Amino acid sequence: MSDSATATRPRVLTGDTPTGRLHLGHWVGSIENRLELQEDHDCFFLLANMHAFTTRSEDADEIRADTLEIVRDWLAAGIDPNRSCVVLQTEVPAIAELTWFFAMLVPFNRVMRNPTLKTEIDSKGLGDKYSFGFPMYAVGQCADILAFRPVYVPVGEDQVAHIEMCREIARKFNQVFCGVDPKTEDEDYEAAGGVFPIPQAKVGRVARLVGCDGKQKMSKSLNNAIFLSDTPKQVKKKMGKIYTGRQSPDEPGVIEGNPLFQYVDAFIHDEERVAELKRRYEAGDNLGDGHVKVEVADAINELLEPMRQRRAEYEGPDGDDLVIDIIREGTKRANDLAEETLWKAKEAMHLDFFPRDLGLGS
Ligand code: ATP
Ligand code: MG
């Protein structure tokens, strides 16, 4: 197999799990960076539908619907399918195969110590009843990433622990199967003969946007999200829910750690206005929480309005077909690259008995 599937531009991989629609946390944590990176990188955006089954295996219908909704959200947000690949995880078999290989390079206890998994078990109330596949998704995510041999992975802060494990697995594979010296600098692993680069997390300008419960991370699964597809009215209503504990417009308020002001900082771009709001809030100068919430909701609606319009193009009677065509095309290109990666990994593992052509690519 040749390297022709591999474009010359540096690559980027990231993705979202179809456990619901996309929200403002995705926007500030990862999507803004994706839009910037798609200008001069070869980007692969993964629909992690296999991973959705790890917590919602009885909701196959919803997972399918959410998969299409997430693509609509991406397109609405400005992801350009002519430049970037939209990839369906379950149609890229190399990812599942690499997951097995990688699972044998990482101790079970290392996976279970992953702080992101621990937090998810708590916040999603999984107790001790979660499937065997649930912790496996952390290893699967390493395969999602490394199948594309990317330089960057744009993610929110909650994912950094996963990327760290991915970097450990990439180093280990290169050391065990390609004979790369463990003292090699991360950026030199490929030049030293490794199959995999050591990819870097690229965290967004807001690393962890709090949800409108004012407590937990905004999350699809926690009923605290403002979705990119919400109507102006829904945005206003949800902003209204943020609880700051302050009683009246004349009470001096606290900015530090105040969830409402995380939204002010994230979504109001007029710096002078932000400074003015903070000054009056801290001084108790007749500025109520309700007023600040309305200003933030207006700023969010201004951001979302062009997305609502772009989204409408993919919501008509042919909407699903258009979206599925985009997924099909992106997944073909993704398979060219992922099959190439798998072959390189098999060569390194002395599993290159004969090449295969599953007819998956373009
Ligand atoms: P789930 O509740 O199913 O875990 P989620 O809302 O956490 O969903 P994911 O699909 O797990 O969303 O995450 C997709 C990407 O968005 C990841 O890179 C993640 O770090 C980022 N992200 C998610 N929520 C936030 C947030 N509140 N702030 C910043 N980044 C976020
Ligand atoms: Mg998550």
Side-chain angles (χ1 to χ4, degrees), residues 101-259:
F101 295 152
F102 294 159
M104 291 169 291
L105 291 176
V106 58
F108 179 68
N109 289 338
R110 168 69 184 91
V111 176
M112 298 314 290
R113 272 202 317 271
N114 181 321
T116 306
L117 276 189
K118 284 187 175 175
T119 311
E120 274 188 88
I121 290 169
D122 279 352
S123 68
K124 294 179 182 170
L126 302 180
D128 57 4
K129 297 283 191 302
Y130 52 81
S131 64
F132 180 60
F134 176 72
M136 186 71 169
Y137 105 77
V139 182
Q141 193 168 308
C142 302
D144 296 337
I145 297 170
L146 294 175
F148 297 89
R149 308 193 321 271
V151 283
Y152 293 125
V153 190
V155 285
E157 190 179 49
D158 62 300
Q159 293 294 313
V160 171
H162 281 321
I163 310 299
E164 203 38 58
M165 202 167 89
C166 170
R167 288 157 58 82
E168 283 172 30
I169 287 181
R171 289 187 200 104
K172 188 81 187 271
F173 186 101
N174 291 330
Q175 291 162 12
V176 171
F177 296 115
C178 315
V180 177
D181 183 340
K183 290 194 208 76
T184 304
E185 297 291 331
D186 283 346
E187 57 276 19
D188 297 333
Y189 262 82
E190 277 177 297
V195 168
F196 296 106
I198 315 300
Q200 285 179 45
K202 202 170 171 66
V203 176
R205 88 187 146 88
V206 181
R208 178 187 177 281
L209 184 70
V210 70
C212 36
D213 55 6
K215 293 190 191 96
Q216 304 224 56
K217 164 185 112 60
M218 184 177 282
S219 174
K220 299 190 222 91
S221 323
L222 298 179
N223 203 17
N224 65 358
I226 297 178
F227 297 107
L228 301 186
S229 50
D230 277 347
T231 62
K233 225 167 147 182
Q234 286 171 316
V235 171
K236 273 214 166 86
K237 193 166 167 205
K238 289 181 182 177
M239 274 311 299
K241 280 201 221 152
I242 294 184
Y243 180 67
T244 66
R246 186 161 169 264
Q247 303 300 329
S248 91
D250 306 322
E251 184 184 316
V254 178
I255 305 288
E256 183 76 26
N258 184 327

Side-chain angles (χ1 to χ4, degrees), residues 22 36 38-39 56 70 76 78 83 87 110 127 149 152 156 189 204 212 233 270 291 317 320 326 338 344 347:
L22 296 193
E36 200 180 312
Q38 87 173 343
E39 294 298 320
R56 294 175 60 193
I70 284 191
R83 284 187 286 172
V87 185
R110 168 69 184 91
R149 308 193 321 271
Y152 293 125
Y189 262 82
C212 36
K233 225 167 147 182
D270 177 346
H291 183 95
D320 280 7
I326 288 170
K344 284 176 187 283
E347 281 179 323

Side-chain angles (χ1 to χ4, degrees), residues 8-162:
T8 48
R9 297 192 306 173
R11 283 185 299 273
V12 166
L13 176 288
T14 192
D16 300 305
T17 323
T19 41
R21 286 167 298 149
L22 296 193
H23 52 65
L24 291 174
H26 295 109
W27 174 257
V28 291
S30 172
I31 296 178
E32 282 180 326
N33 272 339
R34 299 181 201 180
L35 297 182
E36 200 180 312
L37 287 163
Q38 87 173 343
E39 294 298 320
D40 48 9
H41 290 70
D42 223 16
C43 290
F44 294 85
F45 299 126
L46 187 80
L47 296 157
N49 59 336
M50 180 93 89
H51 295 183
F53 281 87
T54 66
T55 53
R56 294 175 60 193
S57 53
E58 57 302 324
D59 299 327
D61 269 7
E62 277 179 39
I63 294 173
R64 186 187 173 97
D66 286 339
T67 303
L68 301 181
E69 287 305 315
I70 284 191
V71 180
R72 284 189 180 92
D73 284 333
W74 288 350
L75 298 166
I79 284 173
D80 176 1
N82 294 314
R83 284 187 286 172
S84 299
C85 287
V86 170
V87 185
L88 186 64
Q89 190 181 43
T90 46
E91 291 306 327
V92 182
I95 292 177
E97 293 171 71
L98 287 169
T99 302
W100 260 100
F101 295 152
F102 294 159
M104 291 169 291
L105 291 176
V106 58
F108 179 68
N109 289 338
R110 168 69 184 91
V111 176
M112 298 314 290
R113 272 202 317 271
N114 181 321
T116 306
L117 276 189
K118 284 187 175 175
T119 311
E120 274 188 88
I121 290 169
D122 279 352
S123 68
K124 294 179 182 170
L126 302 180
D128 57 4
K129 297 283 191 302
Y130 52 81
S131 64
F132 180 60
F134 176 72
M136 186 71 169
Y137 105 77
V139 182
Q141 193 168 308
C142 302
D144 296 337
I145 297 170
L146 294 175
F148 297 89
R149 308 193 321 271
V151 283
Y152 293 125
V153 190
V155 285
E157 190 179 49
D158 62 300
Q159 293 294 313
V160 171
H162 281 321

